[in-house]
Structure formats: C-alpha cells, structure tokens
Amino acid sequence: MKISKISVTAITVCALTILSGCSGMSQRDKNTAVGAGVGAVGGAVLTGGSGIGTAGGAAVGGVIGNQVGK
C-alpha cells in the first residue's frame, strides 16, 4: 500500500496540533488524558470493540489517571 504525500502531511499537521494542545495542561490533566486513552484502548480490547466498553474504559481510566499522584 502506497501512502500519498498529502496523507503524510495531513497526519503530521494533526499530530502537531494535538501535541501543542497539551502544552498548557497541568501534570494532573495530562495524567487524566493518558488514563482515559489507555482505559479506552483496554475497554475496547476487553469487550471486542464495543462502544460501551470503550467509553466505560475511558471513564474508569480517566478517574484513575486523575487520582494518580494525588
């Protein structure tokens, strides 16, 4: 599969935009975001891609990430 130059540029711009959005976050906010992301992936894997499992995992992971280092 060949990836076009436009696709690579679009992905790069999106990645830089997302990363720059995290620059003003506190450490606790970053932990919450990472926890939600990891929880969403874990919930999706455990439930076979169910939307409810993904959302539930994100919620639980966000709470855990928020409480880490408190």
Side-chain angles (χ1 to χ4, degrees), residues 5-70:
K5 190 173 185 178
I6 294 173
S7 297
V8 172
T9 304
I11 291 169
T12 303
V13 168
C14 288
L16 290 174
T17 302
I18 290 169
L19 291 174
S20 67
C22 297
S23 64
M25 295 173 83
S26 69
Q27 187 61 42
R28 190 169 201 179
D29 293 339
K30 291 177 186 176
N31 288 345
T32 302
V34 169
V38 170
V41 170
V45 168
L46 291 174
T47 61
S50 165
I52 293 173
T54 303
V60 171
V63 170
I64 292 171
N66 185 280
Q67 297 300 312
V68 169
K70 188 173 182 181

